[in-house]
Each structure stands twice: as C-alpha cells, then as structure tokens.
Amino acid sequence: MDGIHIAGGGWEATVQPADGAGLTRLRFAGQDILVPAPDGARLGGPFGAFWMIPWANRLDGGRLGPHRLPINRPQDGTAIHGLSRDRAWTVAQAALDRVALAQSVEAAPYRYAAHLAMTAAEDGFTLNLAVTNTGQDPTPFGAGWHPWFVRPPGTRLAFRATHRCTHDARCLPVSAAPTAGLDGGEDAFLGLDTHFAGWGGAARIAWPGLDLTIAATGALATNLQVYAPPAQPVLCVEPSSHLPDAPNRPDLAPLGPMRVLAPGDVLTGVIRLTAECSHPPGGAA
C-alpha cells in the first residue's frame, strides 16, 4: 500500500485511506516521530498510528447498554479500539500538504459519518476529527488516537492529569487515585498500560535532539492512555475522549464518560503536533 504522502513545514507523512486512515510514517526534520510501518503491514501496532472510533480502548464483553459489539480481542473478552480502524476511508481532497478523508459506518447500534483532515505546515502537524451520529437514536460515542511513537534511550514524557487508574489483568480500570501526572524517563513510564483522567490536553515527549509537543482540544483533550511495553522500544501516548469501558464502570465513568450524541450531533477533536530540534543540526546534544 503506497498511501498518500503529504509534506510541509519540515513534516512528512504517509496516510493509508484503505487501512483505517492510519499513518504508516510520520517524520519531522528527517527524524522518525512514529515507528515506521513495515512494507505491506496492516496498522494496529507496534508501528504507525490509527484511530479509535466510535469508542476508544476496551469495552468489557462488548457491552454498550443493551447492545453487544463484536469481540475482537477474544483472549480478554473485549471489543477494542472501535470500528473505524478496520474500515476503509475515501479521499475527499488531497494536496501536497494536506488530505481530507471521509467514512460512513453502519454497524448496529452505530450509524455515523466521520471526517478527518490532516495538514503538514509550519505551525505543526494537525489532525482534525469530526464524527456525526447519522442514526435515528441517541447513542454513546467516543474517539481516540493511538500513535506508536519511537522510544530511543533517553526518552522523557511529561504531562499533567488529576487521576491515575489502576487496572486488572485485562487493562480495564478498577480504581483511580489522585495524581499530578507524569514527568520523567523510563523509570516513570516503562511498563505502563495505564489510563489518566483529568488530562489538560498537553503532553511533551523529549528525545535526544528533538522535543515533541502534543496539544489536543475538544473531545480529545480530557483523557490519556499511556502504554510503554518493556520488550519493545515504543511509547504510546493516546489522547482519548473517555475512560476505557466507561459505560460499564458507573463508579469511574465520571472521570471520562462517553458522550451520548443525539441524531445529527457531532463529536469533534483536534490534535496538533509541534516539534523542535533541541540542538543545531550536527551540533552536540
């Protein structure tokens, strides 16, 4: 899959409309931001980035009120990462520095139209998402973005949040405690597959020679999942609109409920990535 290539402002990206509108490559100033996808590989990890729509992370037993969504992680008995990543998008517009994509999904209880615009520019790499309930009934919606960032030695992560969840063996939240967030290197984040609530929409990843800032607004600016498996040099920092399994966790759901969209209502969120070299090219770190 060759995908669509866009570039601008030092950013280069490859988008795969046929593979859930995911990114198989994202670079800034010649450096990889995401782990590049192997040739021909389907998105899902541990590389690239994909979208989680109309829910993020896991639903226990696929339960959404009276509905049962397909279990696509049978070892955990969960429906994970939504429906949109497994379906193709159509290209609405393409230019050298931007692409606009659209998708229509009908999979009970969901009927929705998603629109996504990605732009590479001097002020950053921007992902702009809008999801409209095109069904006839009010339905809980959510969204998230799942990037697999590179994690070379010396990587640091910093962000603020109000609550940190503990989870069971299936990574479903079971409790939450107050936190200030994270600020540190591998000693702070290695081994996490952890949800943070009360996120302010800003996070910073510092690599040797390059700093990346994640700035989310709208529905994507409230919750954050952090995943850093010890066996793989990747770091997932996932802006999300809600807590994992929120519909089935009434005690924890106030930390990040799914949003019930009436017919015609829209869920919107924007993520902007900005990067800055922390030393002159060819200079010392």
Side-chain angles (χ1 to χ4, degrees), residues 89-165:
W89 296 56
T90 60
V91 179
Q93 183 182 27
L96 292 177
D97 59 351
R98 63 190 179 276
V99 61
L101 304 162
Q103 183 189 60
S104 295
V105 173
E106 293 190 22
Y110 283 108
R111 290 184 61 189
Y112 63 90
H115 294 85
L116 174 65
M118 286 181 262
T119 305
E122 291 290 342
D123 61 353
F125 188 83
T126 303
L127 307 104
N128 193 327
L129 177 70
V131 181
T132 303
N133 180 7
T134 58
Q136 297 180 345
D137 300 310
T139 309
F141 275 81
W145 187 57
H146 196 310
W148 298 84
F149 293 116
V150 298
R151 198 187 82 212
T155 298
R156 297 183 63 84
L157 172 64
F159 62 87
R160 294 185 178 276
T162 62
H163 289 81
R164 175 173 173 164
C165 293

Side-chain angles (χ1 to χ4, degrees), residues 140-234:
F141 275 81
W145 187 57
H146 196 310
W148 298 84
F149 293 116
V150 298
R151 198 187 82 212
T155 298
R156 297 183 63 84
L157 172 64
F159 62 87
R160 294 185 178 276
T162 62
H163 289 81
R164 175 173 173 164
C165 293
T166 58
H167 54 80
D168 63 18
R170 298 181 299 153
C171 291
L172 294 169
V174 296
S175 64
T179 185
L182 287 183
D183 189 353
E186 288 192 348
D187 57 325
F189 59 72
L190 193 63
L192 292 185
D193 193 351
T194 302
H195 193 79
F196 293 83
W199 180 48
R204 189 175 184 88
I205 302 174
W207 296 298
L210 188 68
D211 293 340
L212 177 76
T213 298
I214 304 167
T217 55
L220 297 172
T222 61
N223 291 67
L224 195 70
Q225 185 83 12
V226 177
Y227 177 44
Q232 297 169 313
V234 297

Side-chain angles (χ1 to χ4, degrees), residues 58-72:
R58 296 159 171 84
L59 292 175
D60 191 5
R63 293 191 300 272
L64 186 75
H67 305 284
R68 298 294 179 268
L69 292 152
I71 301 297
N72 56 356

